Amino acid sequence: MTAQPRKEVSSPLYSSSCQLQGQFHLNGMHKTGDVVLGGLFQAHFFSVFPDLSFTSEPQHPSCHGFDVLGFRQAQTMAFAIDEINRNSNLLPNVTLGYSLYDNCANLGIGFSAALYLVSGKDEQFILDKTCDGTPPVLGIVGDSSSTSIAISSVLGLYRVPMVSYFATCSCLSNRQKFPSFFRTIPSDAFQVRAMIHILNRFGWTWAGLLISDDDYGLHAARSFQTDFIQSGEGCLAYIEVLPRDSDQAELRRIVDVMKESTACVVIVFSSQSYMINFMEEVVRQNVTGLQWMTSEAWTAATMLLNPHLMPYLAGTLGIAIRRGEIPGLRKFLQQIRPDHHNNSSYGNSMVNQFWEYTFQCRFAPPPAGVDAGGALCTGQEDLENVETEFLDISNLRPEYNVYKAVYVLAYALDDILRCEPGRGSFSGHSCGNLKGLEPWQLLYYLEKVNFTTSFGDQVSFDENGDPLPIYDIMNLLPLPDGRPVLQNVGEVKRTAKGEELTIDEDKIFWNFESKKPPRSVCSESCPPGTRMARKKGEPVCCFDCIPCSEGKISNETDSTECTSCPEDFWSSPQRDHCIPKKIEFLSYNEPLGICLTATSLLGTCICTVVLGIFVYHRGTPIIRANNSELSFQILLSLQLCFLCSLLFIGRPRRWTCQLRHAAFGISFVLCVSCILVKTMVVLAVFKASKPGSGASLKWFGVLQQRGTVMVLTSIQAAICTTWLVSVSPTPHKNTKYYNDKIVYECAVGSTVGFAVLLGYIGTLAILSFLTAFIARNLPDSFNEAKLITFSMLIFCAVWVAFVPAYISSPGKYADAVEVFAILASSFGLLLALFGPKCYIILLRPERNTKKAIMGRASSLHPSLPPSHLTSSLPPGMPPSRLAPILHPSKSRLAFSSNHNLTHNQISLGLMISSKLLTQLPSGLLASYLVLSR
């Protein structure tokens, strides 16, 4: 079979050229140049798409509602390129061109325009064998967030740079998803922070949020939830998504939510197209009394300046793009003229559409979608003769960002062309050239752009492609004639020191009767002294104010918790600051301390008086008959007991803490020891009256009495010394008794030492009591044992009651209890032992004679024969020795102060008493008189 020649296929798949399958009918503006820059702008508010039946080729969408400000932004790009071309210092010998398209506020149309820019619009072009070549545009000046997100996600794959002047979505800062995206407007992340700064400035913690149903609004809501709510700076009463279309039921529901909410601040993150229908519903329901806060997309909208909306929107605070000045722009705008040659073509039709909208005329034939009615446009109409905001360049904000975006691309391109061969930044230190320039090369230099505009603003990018953020704060002010105007009242920017808010509150117009900022909080601020307690099931901004508990304070407004005061401080009554705790101790200045001090001094004085009485009357029988030396020692020890109580009063110091218990213990041991020895002497005399017991009296001489007192007292001194040396008492700040007071007391150091000290005193007191109790039945002519018994009974009762009272008494009252016990026991001993004697000495002196004391023997037993006494004499003792005893009036043996008794004389008196005790009660007294001498 002979092979037949293959037939040439005409399909584009087998051709060396490409052919576009269709054309996008886009409104645009074009100018040729050596390097062409692309641009996307919103020159119309709405777009209408025909129904898609999929049975025929769909019709192209149509755009409606001409946007004069969007067209002015496109003309600003044209002006910037024209200015660069006239600048001999920037891109010399290079002419820039542009291709600008209208996205008609639609993502699909904007995306189609972007593809048109990077692929070209030639219906057919020849492919290079290496697939190399320069794309139609090297960079694109982009527009809003949603369009930029879609376009940059595709252009980033080919590293085609896009510099946006209006895309604020914080998501575009992600360099992994959008590696070729830059912008000259701050991101929404900073815009949200700027709004939060304003909310904080006026104390607005309770606000509602309205967002558009697109990337711009949804990402803003996410940022608010992260920065405003989770950080605890405020709460959102509601978040409502505005519908894309005019859904009246949904709009009515959203307005009802706003009316029912207690939040009077409404934050809007939406473009103008979403707000038109919504504001109509606000006007219909007459919703007033709200403080509006708008993002930059709505602040720049023309509908905000509608006098019809002033009752509702006056006083609005808005974030606005940084205003700038562009010299020469107005003159350039005045020179715009329509293109008669392309007035019926979509390729270069934006100027014609602007002309028809401004002068309400039409070109022949009219463009598609335009009513054929009206006068014909000549193209010679004068813009100065019509009222249009197109020529108002007093508030250039998005235009200023467009201007900077064009210059960013121009400076990056200029840096490429100024590269010196061999010192370039690319592989092999090569440089880019104009003919083979690639977009990724321009992208490298865009990251390093840094210049200053003629307005004085520095332009550069961070690692995410974001500029130095700065926003103006605008306030909607109604003029006296009713016209609304936006006035600049401050700015917010990021510096090396952080985010700074500057605002002039005096310039702000507040649309309220008070002409002051409104209050917008879920719960009023908690004052100092309270803390916030969240209400269950409600946002964190809704809370109750709970007073701080005792010992805790909060010195800030809206404190989340109360802080405890330091150990030595306590909360003030208002719980807003800590105050030093009151220091409590038994003071000389308080009534209790004064009473105890006076009582102590009174007891000391009484002891001194009694001692003086005893010294003065020391020669009287009643003094001599009661062992005067021990009596004097008891009085001196009682004085020490009274005085030692003063150590328990006053601010505790180290020396007083060490001395108080030692002085107390030794003083009482000295006193009780003397009483014990005195009691034992009485009991010894009583026992010696029995036959054969007289020899025991040799152990109770004067020296033995003194030695016994010294030994017993020395034991207590040793106990005190051991205690002080081992664990010495020290001043101690006790905070356990009271929360608001510091009890300044003496810590005993060793509880064992204190217990041994008290136990030793108690042991001696019990011994004295028992000894006196045994001797209580002495004859009536001598009642000293009864007095000692009664005094020891008082002493023991006081100190037995002291222990539980001391343990249960807090703070200074423990010291008061101890002082009271010391004074009570001291007074008990003083009165019981020395009261009756002082009574006889001072009031009954007739009973203080030897006749009164000794005379009872003869008066009671006058017939008792002397022979009865002689029978009891010791062997070898003559009866004549009884004369001084039997006849005291004839002898001074018993009471002579200058007669020395021998041991035999003492024994004689004791032996005689053994017989007298059974029959003569005064016999024992006579014996004791001899012993006491």
Side-chain angles (χ1 to χ4, degrees), residues 617-649:
H617 296 278
R618 63 184 179 275
T620 62
I622 197 167
I623 302 299
R624 298 174 61 84
N626 286 279
N627 202 333
S628 58
E629 183 175 339
L630 289 178
S631 298
F632 292 153
Q633 290 180 2
I634 291 173
L635 285 172
L636 290 175
S637 64
L638 285 177
Q639 282 185 314
L640 294 178
C641 291
F642 280 115
L643 291 175
C644 78
S645 64
L646 298 177
L647 295 173
F648 292 84
I649 306 174

Side-chain angles (χ1 to χ4, degrees), residues 716-727:
Q716 182 74 305
I719 294 174
C720 293
T721 302
T722 304
W723 178 18
L724 295 178
V725 171
S726 59
V727 187

Side-chain angles (χ1 to χ4, degrees), residues 396-597:
L396 299 177
R397 298 183 184 277
E399 294 83 359
Y400 187 51
N401 282 344
V402 172
Y403 184 77
K404 291 188 290 185
V406 175
Y407 267 89
V408 163
L409 292 170
Y411 272 102
L413 186 59
D414 185 66
D415 290 340
I416 292 177
L417 299 181
R418 292 181 183 274
C419 175
E420 298 179 7
R423 303 180 64 181
S425 302
F426 306 122
S427 60
H429 299 287
S430 61
C431 297
N433 58 79
L434 189 60
K435 293 182 178 180
L437 194 60
E438 295 290 339
W440 62 268
Q441 294 175 322
L442 183 63
L443 182 63
Y444 174 82
Y445 280 93
L446 277 174
E447 296 176 348
K448 302 182 179 301
V449 164
N450 192 339
F451 66 94
T452 303
T453 66
S454 58
F455 191 60
D457 289 335
Q458 183 181 0
V459 180
S460 62
F461 300 107
D462 61 14
E463 64 277 6
N464 298 320
D466 293 327
L468 296 174
I470 182 170
Y471 277 114
D472 289 338
I473 301 174
M474 309 302 294
N475 178 233
L476 185 60
L477 171 69
L479 296 177
D481 58 1
R483 291 185 299 108
V485 63
L486 281 171
Q487 63 171 346
N488 191 321
V489 294
E491 67 178 15
V492 58
K493 61 183 178 180
R494 180 179 295 155
T495 63
K497 298 180 181 179
E499 297 172 357
E500 295 182 359
L501 171 67
T502 304
I503 191 168
D504 188 354
E505 297 185 26
D506 296 334
K507 294 175 61 177
I508 299 177
F509 172 78
W510 303 105
N511 193 25
F512 301 94
E513 293 183 2
S514 63
K515 301 303 178 183
K516 295 180 179 180
R519 290 283 296 167
S520 186
V521 294
C522 182
S523 299
E524 290 296 333
S525 297
C526 290
T530 62
R531 63 175 179 85
M532 297 188 299
R534 283 189 57 185
K535 294 181 179 179
K536 189 175 182 180
E538 298 188 24
V540 295
C541 295
C542 302
F543 49 82
D544 293 320
C545 296
I546 307 298
C548 293
S549 57
E550 291 186 349
K552 294 185 176 182
I553 65 160
S554 64
N555 53 9
E556 297 179 353
T557 303
D558 290 337
S559 179
T560 57
E561 63 181 8
C562 299
T563 57
S564 299
C565 290
E567 184 178 4
D568 293 345
F569 290 82
W570 191 247
S571 56
S572 64
Q574 295 77 22
R575 306 287 198 274
D576 56 355
H577 67 282
C578 292
I579 57 177
K581 288 183 178 180
K582 295 180 180 179
I583 296 180
E584 182 180 83
F585 55 87
L586 188 58
S587 172
Y588 288 106
N589 299 322
E590 59 180 305
L592 180 60
I594 294 173
C595 291
L596 294 177
T597 302

Side-chain angles (χ1 to χ4, degrees), residues 274-456:
Y274 283 87
M275 293 298 297
I276 293 176
N277 295 326
F278 174 75
M279 288 308 302
E280 290 178 356
E281 182 64 24
V282 170
V283 173
R284 191 185 68 81
Q285 295 196 33
N286 192 27
V287 181
T288 58
L290 295 178
Q291 176 62 49
W292 296 82
M293 184 181 296
T294 62
S295 65
E296 39 75 32
W298 193 27
T299 304
T302 56
M303 69 163 294
L304 192 64
L305 302 178
N306 188 342
H308 179 62
L309 298 177
M310 278 301 96
Y312 313 95
L313 298 180
T316 296
L317 290 175
I319 302 296
I321 301 170
R322 172 74 167 172
R323 189 189 72 84
E325 295 181 2
I326 307 176
L329 177 61
R330 192 175 193 279
K331 183 178 180 181
F332 178 83
L333 298 177
Q334 289 175 329
Q335 296 175 356
I336 293 176
R337 290 294 180 270
D339 187 354
H340 292 281
H341 301 287
N342 297 297
N343 55 18
S344 61
S345 171
Y346 279 93
N348 202 19
S349 59
M350 277 204 296
V351 176
N352 293 354
Q353 293 173 358
F354 163 72
W355 209 263
E356 290 176 337
Y357 172 81
T358 303
F359 295 102
Q360 296 297 304
C361 62
R362 62 182 178 84
F363 290 96
V370 178
D371 189 4
L376 293 177
C377 299
T378 63
Q380 300 301 318
E381 290 83 358
D382 190 357
L383 290 173
E384 295 288 350
N385 296 331
V386 294
E387 184 178 350
T388 175
E389 56 187 341
F390 180 70
L391 298 178
D392 183 10
I393 62 171
S394 61
N395 194 31
L396 299 177
R397 298 183 184 277
E399 294 83 359
Y400 187 51
N401 282 344
V402 172
Y403 184 77
K404 291 188 290 185
V406 175
Y407 267 89
V408 163
L409 292 170
Y411 272 102
L413 186 59
D414 185 66
D415 290 340
I416 292 177
L417 299 181
R418 292 181 183 274
C419 175
E420 298 179 7
R423 303 180 64 181
S425 302
F426 306 122
S427 60
H429 299 287
S430 61
C431 297
N433 58 79
L434 189 60
K435 293 182 178 180
L437 194 60
E438 295 290 339
W440 62 268
Q441 294 175 322
L442 183 63
L443 182 63
Y444 174 82
Y445 280 93
L446 277 174
E447 296 176 348
K448 302 182 179 301
V449 164
N450 192 339
F451 66 94
T452 303
T453 66
S454 58
F455 191 60

Side-chain angles (χ1 to χ4, degrees), residues 810-825:
K812 65 180 182 180
Y813 298 103
D815 291 335
V817 167
E818 190 166 358
V819 172
F820 179 81
I822 293 173
L823 296 178
S825 58

